[in-house]
Amino acid sequence: MEKKRFFTSRNIAFLAVLVALVVVLQTMSTLIGRLGGTPLSLVLIPIVLGAVMIGPLAGILLGFIFGVVVTICGVTGFDGWTYLLFSQQPFWTVLLCLVKGTAAGAAAGFLYKAIAFKNRYIGVIVASLAAPIVNTGIFVVGAFLMKDAIESVMAATQVSGVSIVYYVIIGLAGVNFLIEFAINAVASPAIYRVAEIVKRARGGAAYTEEEPEEDSSKQRMGEKKEKKIKKIVE
């Protein structure tokens, strides 16, 4: 069995498109997709697509870039809520942003890889649904670990009359999570179809297979050897 490579020309080109989507979608989400305190994470679809089409490493890289964009928006004040949290706990806020995005991409990639050899369609669905669960779950855990900082943000945004548990789970994560989960659930069949179309176009090969150019060169070498053998026999 030939060793599969990650950094092929096709993988890099495909990743570049997905990275651009991650940056644009997360920036747009921060600008117009806010419900409650935190913006929607519409970038989970390209993250899952990369994890499915290329592999877990692509999911990890795209998830990390997602976290970097969230961090930059927060540190610069473009995302006001994250900026307030960063002003209280800079290190833990940055760590939370990076970890939750990276973990979401990793979960999508490894779960798809574990399930796809039995049923690719089920693998895509599980990967698509796992990404928002992991992303939101880690955010909620991190928020509770920064309880004092969250309470300071609540005071700064004039949130009163609710407990921190209600504020984090319902106010910050609840509606956003339901929308992100629903979007990924609806998008999962489309992700599966894209993956199948591309694989059929490449003769069933995944993006991590060896470059076809290399295969064709090997074929040409084989043909030359055959010609030499024929000459010797003649």
Side-chain angles (χ1 to χ4, degrees), residues 127-217:
S128 299
L129 300 183
I133 291 174
V134 171
N135 181 59
T136 302
I138 293 179
F139 169 78
V140 170
V141 172
F144 285 136
L145 291 176
M146 293 188 289
K147 180 182 176 181
D148 294 339
I150 294 294
E151 289 177 342
S152 297
V153 173
M154 290 174 66
T157 54
Q158 299 180 345
V159 175
S160 59
V162 298
S163 67
I164 186 173
V165 174
Y166 180 91
Y167 176 70
V168 171
I169 295 179
I170 305 299
L172 296 179
V175 177
N176 281 9
F177 168 73
L178 292 176
I179 294 176
E180 292 165 8
F181 189 85
I183 290 174
N184 273 41
V186 171
S188 58
I191 293 173
Y192 172 77
R193 284 196 293 270
V194 170
E196 290 300 299
I197 289 171
V198 173
K199 286 180 179 179
R200 284 198 297 270
R202 301 191 68 218
Y207 268 92
T208 49
E209 296 291 344
E210 292 291 335
E211 289 284 358
E213 290 83 3
E214 294 179 0
D215 294 337
S216 61
S217 64

Side-chain angles (χ1 to χ4, degrees), residues 4 6 8 15 25 33 35 47-48 52 70 74 111 113 136 144 149 153 159 168 182 198:
K4 296 180 179 180
F6 179 79
T8 64
L15 270 175
L25 286 176
L35 291 174
I47 291 174
V48 172
V52 168
V70 173
L111 285 172
K113 185 177 180 180
T136 302
F144 285 136
V153 173
V159 175
V168 171
V198 173

Side-chain angles (χ1 to χ4, degrees), residues 222-234:
E223 291 174 353
K224 289 180 180 178
K225 289 181 179 179
E226 289 179 2
K227 289 180 180 179
K228 289 181 179 178
I229 293 172
K230 286 181 181 179
K231 288 181 179 179
I232 293 171
V233 171
E234 292 173 355

